[in-house]
Amino acid sequence: MAKSSENEHPHKSFGWAAKDTSGILSPFHFSRRENGPDDVAIKILFCGVCHSDLHTIKNDWGFTTYPVVPGHEIVGIVTKTGDNVKKFKVGDRVGVGVIVESCKECECCKQDLESYCPKPVFTYNSPYYDGTRTHGGYSDFVVVHQHYVLQFPENLPLDAGAPLLCAGITVYSPMIYYGMTEPGKHLGVAGLGGLGHVAIKFGKAFGLKVTVISSSPNKESEAISKLGADSFLLSTDPAKFKEAIGTMDYIIDTISAVHSLTSLLALLKLNGKLVTVGLPSKPLELPVFPLVMGRKLIGGSNFGGIKETQEMLNFCGKHNIAADIELIKIDQINTAMERLVKSDVKYRFVIDVGNSLSTS
């Protein structure tokens, strides 16, 4: 008979979990494994709330195993290290992102691209190699193999830095891989949300001209005045859109709803690149004619590997890049999820785990 989540490991843990497809999160007692020689134990201080968390707790993708403790934008303080751990010490500021294990043997892992490993272990809702299931950062502490732990730069705030572990690396990785970093070039950011607002900050740090592309006119002031975009293109304004045709070198498409690729491709110059990181629930139509006539490229990208994620955090520390967040207590999480459905957040919820999680 299989042991319960509360008793399968030696160390008691506490968090908030979804128990069924209602997605309602509530207090949950479970357990964490003992530190192995390569493990790092982390007291969780903050955890970002990702749209993936929302999909998972409601089983929108069809592979949730309940109960599930979400959270893969984890930051905290090291409390214990295994005998083989030399890179981290007790008291270090660290982070844990989307994965906590991979096979370490495939070509992807050998190229520091663990995010593309065919056998990843995700930070939550994933079978671990010992047969147990992983639980995420809506909890008091976590034990992680040292390879998947990230150092946080001293000047990077832990709360506003947490979303960089998913939202940040999801836009940074394709910008690096597809060469969307040449100073003076023109970057379009389609969609202004958790991913898009960080993409603006990266674009400006790389020295790009940045235009936000959105169907919401009320986002113009925010995009330019607060986030530092150079311009705003209302996609529903035919006259303005016509003026912008053929003016952009790159577009990073963060839109998760079904939308037109034809209009975005029209904005690109010859040899322009459109990279999509949003995950619409239905396939998008791919217009071939503008691709051929403009020698344009459409690409996609997952979150980055561990090495690249560390490089991204260091870059953010150097350029003072962090997410714009709304800090919440753990008992506000269900209201936050309701607001997330409505895109009612600017631009990322972060749970103040260290100051609000209680076993009472």
Side-chain angles (χ1 to χ4, degrees):
M1 183 176 178
K3 292 184 177 181
S4 69
S5 296
E6 188 172 355
N7 298 312
E8 63 187 355
H9 294 302
H11 294 290
K12 301 300 182 182
S13 187
F14 179 72
W16 280 50
K19 317 284 178 57
D20 54 45
T21 56
S22 70
I24 300 299
L25 293 141
S26 60
F28 177 61
H29 292 272
F30 63 107
S31 58
R32 297 285 193 188
R33 72 175 187 265
E34 179 62 88
N35 256 49
D38 289 299
D39 287 335
V40 176
I42 303 164
K43 174 181 171 59
I44 299 172
L45 299 181
F46 300 99
C47 186
V49 179
C50 179
H51 219 283
S52 298
D53 300 347
L54 177 61
H55 287 303
T56 300
I57 62 177
K58 291 182 175 293
N59 198 25
D60 290 340
W61 293 327
F63 50 73
T64 300
T65 298
Y66 296 101
V68 58
V69 178
H72 59 205
E73 297 176 345
I74 301 169
V75 292
I77 302 295
V78 174
T79 59
K80 186 177 181 180
T81 60
D83 292 341
N84 295 338
V85 178
K86 307 301 180 187
K87 185 177 178 181
F88 303 99
K89 65 182 184 302
V90 172
D92 280 355
R93 297 154 39 98
V94 295
V96 178
V98 181
I99 59 174
V100 292
E101 191 57 271
S102 59
C103 77
K104 302 184 181 72
E105 298 176 351
C106 68
E107 287 302 311
C108 294
C109 286
K110 291 177 181 178
Q111 296 177 57
D112 298 312
L113 297 171
E114 300 91 345
S115 51
Y116 297 96
C117 174
K119 298 178 181 179
V121 177
F122 295 104
T123 304
Y124 65 88
N125 190 48
S126 192
Y128 201 71
Y129 293 157
D130 62 4
T132 62
R133 294 196 71 81
T134 57
H135 290 298
Y138 296 14
S139 58
D140 53 359
F141 81 101
V142 67
V143 178
V144 181
H145 188 288
Q146 63 174 327
H147 180 77
Y148 305 90
V149 179
L150 298 144
Q151 289 276 13
F152 247 68
E154 285 299 320
N155 67 317
L156 195 61
L158 292 180
D159 53 359
L164 299 172
L165 294 164
C166 178
I169 188 58
T170 297
V171 293
Y172 179 88
S173 184
M175 292 179 76
I176 295 295
Y177 178 76
Y178 288 102
M180 302 164 67
T181 60
E182 188 177 345
K185 295 290 187 179
H186 189 178
L187 170 70
V189 176
L192 183 54
L195 297 177
H197 92 284
V198 181
I200 294 171
K201 297 183 181 189
F202 283 138
K204 294 307 298 180
F206 286 127
L208 304 173
K209 175 184 177 182
V210 178
T211 295
V212 172
I213 307 162
S214 174
S215 60
S216 302
N218 60 345
K219 291 186 176 182
E220 179 172 3
S221 176
E222 188 88 7
I224 296 174
S225 301
K226 185 173 182 180
L227 297 172
D230 297 284
S231 58
F232 182 88
L233 176 60
L234 184 62
S235 58
T236 54
D237 184 332
K240 293 294 184 182
F241 200 90
K242 185 177 180 180
E243 291 176 6
I245 288 175
T247 63
M248 299 180 189
D249 299 284
Y250 325 120
I251 295 174
I252 187 158
D253 181 2
T254 72
I255 301 171
S256 58
V258 176
H259 59 288
S260 170
L261 293 179
T262 303
S263 57
L264 293 179
L265 284 169
L267 297 172
L268 290 173
K269 299 177 182 178
L270 177 69
N271 301 325
K273 300 173 184 178
L274 168 63
V275 180
T276 179
V277 294
L279 293 172
S281 58
K282 296 180 181 179
L284 304 181
E285 288 190 10
L286 177 62
V288 175
F289 195 82
L291 285 181
V292 173
M293 299 306 292
R295 200 164 67 177
K296 298 172 184 178
L297 178 149
I298 292 182
S301 180
N302 199 3
F303 60 94
I306 301 302
K307 180 181 178 181
E308 188 174 52
T309 304
Q310 186 64 65
E311 292 172 356
M312 181 270 304
L313 288 174
N314 295 342
F315 181 87
C316 289
K318 180 179 178 180
H319 294 277
N320 296 311
I321 294 174
D324 286 26
I325 67 168
E326 182 175 333
L327 197 63
I328 62 170
K329 296 180 179 180
I330 190 67
D331 60 7
Q332 297 173 303
I333 186 59
N334 290 308
T335 300
M337 288 297 185
E338 293 173 2
R339 289 178 54 193
L340 190 57
V341 171
K342 304 172 185 176
S343 299
D344 179 24
V345 56
K346 292 183 179 178
Y347 284 95
R348 205 73 160 184
F349 288 117
V350 172
I351 305 168
D352 187 353
V353 175
N355 288 317
S356 68
L357 190 65
S358 171
T359 58
S360 60

